[in-house]
């Protein structure tokens, strides 16, 4: 006590000495400010960790698809070479298939399998690839589900192998690719409500061969406003966006798998 005043020194936890209530407030305010900054940084860090965790989970979930894609990229040319096609032609085919489904919710495995099947049947690998991509786009352009597309594809390939149509298979195409079928019928000059049935009758009577029909589907796929463009527009929903994101991850992980395989082959 001096001159009628009491002076109190407060020793804080950090070892500093604060003189008076004002100084104590300043010290505590500084601690609060530092604490808030630390908590904010912690929250951001936790958010980044959670985001990274989601990314790791996506990569793990895509690993099976990546391995399958990698196997397809390697096995497709080998199988085709055993079928009598040369190596360069086979490599071009698998690259064309991969590029053709980019941005679509379609796996490489599915189109590669179809292309192999058609190539074995026709002996024309380039035509098989074009037919496969055109059909894939035709089903997507018509809003077909994966199950419906598979059902329609099976019937289409059967008719292609026979070179003729049958009513049950045609009905399946009407159910699974109605939009594309309408476009094809119109391209042959058939219009109105009976266009699809008129096209079927022309095919049945031999006025139009199934090869002509198949060639027209390929032609319509590549044209302006064709099946390829329509497929991308029809596949622009949120569900497809997630499927495309997953496909993009699978493509990226495939490159990792490729590097791992190359490393293991050198050991």
């Amino acid at each position: 006590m001096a001159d009628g005043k009491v002076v109190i020194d407060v020793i804080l936890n950090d070892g500093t000495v604060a003189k008076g209530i004002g100084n104590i407030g300043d010290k505590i305010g500084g601690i609060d400010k530092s604490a808030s900054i630390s908590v904010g940084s912690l929250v951001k860090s936790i958010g980044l960790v959670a985001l990274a965790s989601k990314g790791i989970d996506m990569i793990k979930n895509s690993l099976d698809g990546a391995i399958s894609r990698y196997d397809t990229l390697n096995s497709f040319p080998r199988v085709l070479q055993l079928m009598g096609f040369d190596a360069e032609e086979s490599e071009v085919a698998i690259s064309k298939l991969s590029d053709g489904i980019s941005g679509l919710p379609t796996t490489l495995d599915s189109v590669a399998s179809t292309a192999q099947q058609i190539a074995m049947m026709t002996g024309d690998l380039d035509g098989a690839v074009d037919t496969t991509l055109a059909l894939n786009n035709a089903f997507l352009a018509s809003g077909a589900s994966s199950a419906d597309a598979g059902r329609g594809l099976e019937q289409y390939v059967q008719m292609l192998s026979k070179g003729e149509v049958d009513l049950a298979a045609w009905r399946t195409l009407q159910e699974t690719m109605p939009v594309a079928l309408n476009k094809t019928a119109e391209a042959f000059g058939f219009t109105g409500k009976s266009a699809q049935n008129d096209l079927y009758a022309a095919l049945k009577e031999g006025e139009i061969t199934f090869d002509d029909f198949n060639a027209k589907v390929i032609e319509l796929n590549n044209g302006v406003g064709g099946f390829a463009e329509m497929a991308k527009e029809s596949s622009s929903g949120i569900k497809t966006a997630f499927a495309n994101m997953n496909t993009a991850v699978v493509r990226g992980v495939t490159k990792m798998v490729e590097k791992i395989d190359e490393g293991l082959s050198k050991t």
Side-chain angles (χ1 to χ4, degrees), residues 55-262:
I56 291 169
D57 286 343
M58 182 174 284
I59 291 173
K60 287 195 299 185
N61 294 335
S62 300
L63 188 57
D64 286 344
I67 292 171
S68 179
R69 180 183 174 84
Y70 179 67
D71 286 342
T72 299
L73 287 168
N74 285 278
S75 65
F76 182 87
R78 288 199 298 267
V79 171
L80 289 174
Q81 286 173 57
L82 291 173
M83 290 164 53
F85 298 100
D86 64 51
E88 184 178 353
E89 188 179 10
S90 302
E91 292 289 348
V92 170
I94 193 64
S95 295
K96 189 173 181 179
L97 286 171
S98 180
D99 292 341
I101 61 173
S102 179
L104 298 174
T106 304
T107 64
L108 183 62
D109 300 7
S110 62
V111 289
S113 175
T114 301
Q116 280 182 353
Q117 186 179 358
I118 296 175
M120 274 197 299
M121 189 173 63
T122 63
D124 179 5
L125 179 55
D126 192 48
V129 170
D130 287 340
T131 296
T132 298
L133 293 176
L135 286 175
N136 182 65
N137 290 331
F139 288 121
L140 290 175
S142 299
S145 65
S146 297
D148 284 341
R151 189 162 56 90
L153 181 63
E154 182 181 358
Q155 296 298 320
Y156 189 99
V157 172
Q158 284 181 9
M159 289 190 287
L160 184 61
S161 66
K162 296 176 183 177
E164 60 184 32
V165 295
D166 66 74
L167 187 57
W170 188 258
R171 291 283 184 250
T172 300
L173 290 189
Q174 288 181 309
E175 294 170 7
T176 57
M177 50 179 280
V179 174
L181 207 55
N182 271 340
K183 289 280 187 182
T184 308
E186 289 173 4
F188 279 110
F190 302 106
T191 59
K193 292 182 179 179
S194 64
Q196 293 182 10
N197 291 331
D198 291 341
L199 175 57
Y200 169 78
L203 285 163
K204 194 68 178 175
E205 295 298 322
E207 297 173 13
I208 299 172
T209 68
F210 202 86
D211 284 343
D212 292 336
F213 174 77
N214 188 67
K216 186 64 70 176
V217 171
I218 293 172
E219 178 188 327
L220 292 173
N221 179 57
N222 299 319
V224 176
F227 301 150
E229 290 183 11
M230 292 170 64
K232 290 190 176 180
E233 289 177 8
S234 297
S235 303
S236 60
I238 294 176
K239 185 176 181 180
T240 302
F242 277 107
N244 290 342
M245 182 172 64
N246 184 66
T247 300
V249 174
V250 167
R251 283 173 176 252
V253 176
T254 301
K255 294 188 180 296
M256 293 169 55
V257 172
E258 181 181 357
K259 294 300 180 183
I260 291 171
D261 187 45
E262 289 176 359

